[in-house]
Amino acid sequence: MSQNNNTTKTLPKAYEPNESENSTYNAWETNNCFHADENSDKKKYAIVIPPPNVTGMLTMGHVLNNTLQDILIRYHRMQGLEAVWIPGTDHAGIATQNVVEKALAKEKISRHDLGREKFVEKVWEWKEKYGGIILKQLRKLGCSCDWTRERFTMDEGLSDAVQKSFIKLYQDGLIYKGKYIINWCPRCRTALSDEEKIPEDTNGSLWYMRYPLKDKKGYIVIATTRPETMLGDTAVAVNPTDERYKDLIGQKLILPFTGREIPILADDYVDKSFGTGAVKITPAHDPNDFELGRRHNLEQLIIMDETGVMNENAFEFAGMDRFEAREAIVKRLEEENLLEKIEPHSLAVGHCERCKTVIEPYLSDQWFVKMKPLAEKAIKAYKDGTLRFTPNRWGNVYLHWMENIRDWCISRQLWWGHRIPAYTCQDCKEIVVSEKAPSRCPKCSSHNIIQDSDVLDTWFSSWLWPFSIMGWPENTQTLKKFYPTDTLVTGPDIIFFWVARMVMAGYHFVGECPFSDVYFTSIVRDMKGRKMSKSLGNSPDPLDIIEKYGADALRYTVVSLAPVGQDIRFSENKVEIGRNFANKLWNASRFVLMNLTDSDASIKTPLPQLEKLNSVDRWILSRMSYAVDQVKTNLSAGSFKFNDALKNVYEFIWNDFCDWYIEMSKSVLFGSDLERKSEVQQVLTTCLDTALRLLHPFMPFVTEEIWQKLPGSEGFLMEQSFPEHNAKFVNVPLEEEINDLMSAVRVIRNMRVSANISPAKKLRIKVVQHQSLSNVFAIHENLIKALAGVENLETVNTKPSGHLIGLMDSTEICLDLAGIIDIQTELLRIEKEIDNTEKNMAKISGKLENESFVSRAPSEVVEKIRTDVEGYKEQLAKLQEYQKELRSL
């Protein structure tokens, strides 16, 4: 990009985004355009990027999320604020460790072969070589992050913040270690939070098993969805009000295959209507049973190991995988006549978010954060308006979760991550939490001290993100200037994982809510309504789309398709709309610049006084001012109507400026009135300058490229001021007047098209006089003639014969056909066209009547046929209406 080369004010004939986008971005970055000054006196605006996984690659979801963030940061930067957008990546504990383990497995090496220290070195090597690719990809999208502030959740500063926050929470009595039922992934061999457990509806079974009574003949029938866990049962529970079991409470049962005696006890937790009303209690393998077991002081018997393989407590089933054991136990129950029946049963089965393995509730020693005390201020922040959500329906979701919050299991059985700063004396079991390893036990003076082998949940570093990336726990100038941030743009799927936790952390560690507004993005789906994912093969590579259409075209498309609170249905061919808009802007700008070569017009030159300008000039300035006002309103905090703001800019540029004002200006630009020409040149320059500034946050590359060619431009467009609404330009009556002019032109143009009259043919038009006739025909007669290709325009008292009639509201506009077309020949042509249209419509509509085709064909194919049929219907209706008009002549 040649910056501000105003000696040559023309643009190349065609816009080639691939040629200009890289050079434009390099120019921005080289000139430090993205950097924010923490010592500035200007009011600040701050956004922190939701850190993508260091393993991540750009997806359509990233495109939408980061485009919206870039719109906000560019908009506020142009408004004169010290705007900072801080980027970075997340170390992504499980995901990254899995990637490296898979790479090692190809070499037939396991992490255990290497040992912890060497394995972590390997992960760092991988990170340095491959990690953070997504941040480079965001540059291709045009993201104006302050790259000098880039952070990583395991860099030195953030690791220090994680350690200090853990220690503070422990000292505040908000972190504890204890046995608890956690979500365990046997594949990843680590605990998962409730939010990392993804429920999937499954068609399972309900097995009815007979447990023999010890001192009596007979048995109790127990219903379960997990028969393999029966080996860990330590009781059977019934509801105390259940008359069926009233006499059995306190009796003993013999657990099949084990010979162990287990009690029958009463507890209100038991649902009398489920199964038989008697439930097996397995405290070490079910969260509800764990709580019931604690109330009744039951033994916690673990029957499988960390890989989901049955252990020595499983007797003859030891060594079997849990699902293999299920089949074997069911078979043995049948053989011993202890299986009463099996019923189909639908249930939601938890799966690991990362590897999709069925999760096992598992009793384990873990570290937890007490969340209820932390949630109090976070709840208040939403209720008193300190924190706002858009769409606001997510506020109720947030409140419900916060008001029913459970303690957070923060330990993970991984090697990659922030190792827990807790040390246990092997002699007296004293736990010491500190930044450095103690040399001796403070309780017994032993030197036999070992650090906890677990690492912290990835989200434990992420919940500190808004302030840790600014230097906390140090009170840095960056923290003073930019915290709290202003807007968080993120997906609703991590409202619990991340958003709610950041609010709690912000209050606890810094004393303020980390942001005032949260905007939840749409979910990007394919045309079938499925969420885009690599596994479905329905997610296009955004870089391929950028290579084909340009980044601006992709940005335009995703934003235009994303109304607040509604999901996007995306297909690559929709990006053509964005490319067409970029080309339209380019061609219009090229026309304007070509017609400024003999002009003193400049973006620095003030407009002539309004009273000196004609009505069309004043109209476009009114429309321009309206667009500015609407864009600013739609981008304001709490509104965030990005698609509406973009629509406002689009309509001003495409419709008002390109399709109408430029066309209206041509007679002046090609005329001999130099004073009038100079006025129009300045209005064109001012409007183009304003249009580029309005559009820049949405489509930064093409707008920068064009703006550099504008006379008077200096520096970069991205550093210029955003347009201000000018009330003195607003003229609603004039807008209504010009709307009438445009309506008249459209009616005449439509009649020309329907009658198949050549654009070169000049028309004769008569307008029928009546009481409400618009005076636009008298005021703008010459302009209507020029725009509609009319040689004679007159007003008549009665509707003439031999004319084609078009309606502008109640005004009859009559096109004289004499000498222009032969009506009989035209009728024959229309009859043939109607016949062809009916045949074409019948050919494809028959497919829609074929139920087999509709059910088997891809939904996008069926939808296209429906759209084509509607198009044929509309075309047919117009042809038949025209045929009717011709016959009336």
Side-chain angles (χ1 to χ4, degrees), residues 363-433:
L363 184 66
S364 176
D365 281 325
Q366 300 290 340
W367 289 91
F368 295 86
V369 177
K370 294 178 183 177
M371 301 302 280
K372 277 198 178 295
L374 296 172
E376 292 171 2
K377 288 182 179 177
I379 291 170
K380 183 176 180 295
Y382 176 71
K383 288 184 174 179
D384 67 17
T386 302
L387 176 64
R388 297 183 297 183
F389 294 116
T390 305
N392 59 16
R393 68 171 182 270
W394 290 105
N396 292 329
V397 177
Y398 169 88
L399 275 185
H400 178 77
W401 187 74
M402 282 293 208
E403 289 169 348
N404 297 276
I405 199 164
R406 294 172 58 180
D407 288 354
W408 174 19
C409 176
I410 56 170
S411 46
R412 298 290 182 270
Q413 290 64 50
L414 302 170
W415 287 355
W416 172 246
H418 298 99
R419 195 164 175 181
I420 292 175
Y423 303 83
T424 303
C425 174
Q426 299 304 293
D427 295 327
C428 72
K429 304 306 177 187
E430 176 75 1
I431 294 177
V432 179
V433 172

Side-chain angles (χ1 to χ4, degrees), residues 801-805 817 821-835 838 876 878-889:
S801 60
H803 286 62
L804 191 61
I805 310 299
L817 296 177
I821 63 170
D822 181 278
I823 293 177
Q824 292 305 316
T825 303
E826 181 67 2
L827 276 170
L828 287 172
R829 185 187 72 82
I830 290 301
E831 284 170 7
K832 286 181 181 178
E833 196 165 340
I834 287 173
D835 184 54
E838 287 175 335
L876 196 58
K878 288 179 180 178
L879 288 169
Q880 289 169 341
E881 179 64 26
Y882 179 46
Q883 183 186 51
K884 182 180 176 182
E885 290 172 357
L886 286 175
R887 284 174 175 165
S888 71
L889 300 177

Side-chain angles (χ1 to χ4, degrees), residues 20 27 115 180 191 205 285 333 389 492 534 616 693 700 703 831-832 847 859 877 884:
S20 68
Y180 208 79
S205 298
H285 292 277
L333 288 168
F389 294 116
K534 288 182 181 178
V616 173
R693 293 174 193 241
T703 51
E831 284 170 7
K832 286 181 181 178
K847 293 180 179 179
S859 60
K884 182 180 176 182

Side-chain angles (χ1 to χ4, degrees), residues 646-757:
L646 180 54
K647 184 180 179 184
N648 299 141
V649 186
Y650 174 92
E651 289 179 346
F652 171 67
I653 292 175
W654 189 294
N655 299 332
D656 299 333
F657 186 62
C658 296
D659 283 355
W660 290 103
Y661 184 70
I662 286 179
E663 291 302 312
M664 293 172 181
S665 302
K666 285 181 178 178
S667 60
V668 177
L669 292 173
F670 303 151
S672 58
D673 187 338
L674 296 183
E675 183 179 357
R676 179 77 190 104
K677 182 177 181 179
S678 176
E679 292 170 353
V680 168
Q681 287 172 326
Q682 187 57 55
V683 173
L684 281 166
T685 303
T686 299
C687 287
L688 181 55
D689 176 42
T690 301
L692 294 172
R693 293 174 193 241
L694 283 176
L695 184 59
H696 178 76
F698 303 91
M699 301 176 75
F701 289 112
V702 67
T703 51
E704 184 74 77
E705 183 78 8
I706 295 169
W707 190 83
Q708 292 294 324
K709 303 295 185 184
L710 290 188
S713 63
E714 291 181 4
F716 292 95
L717 172 58
M718 68 165 290
E719 295 178 321
Q720 306 308 307
S721 60
F722 200 77
E724 291 293 333
H725 172 68
N726 192 333
K728 73 178 184 180
F729 287 162
V730 178
N731 191 329
V732 176
L734 179 59
E735 288 194 31
E736 291 173 352
E737 177 185 308
I738 301 300
N739 278 342
D740 282 349
L741 180 156
M742 293 187 295
S743 295
V745 172
R746 286 192 195 100
V747 170
I748 297 169
R749 286 175 174 174
N750 288 340
M751 285 192 293
R752 179 191 290 274
V753 171
S754 65
N756 198 32
I757 301 170

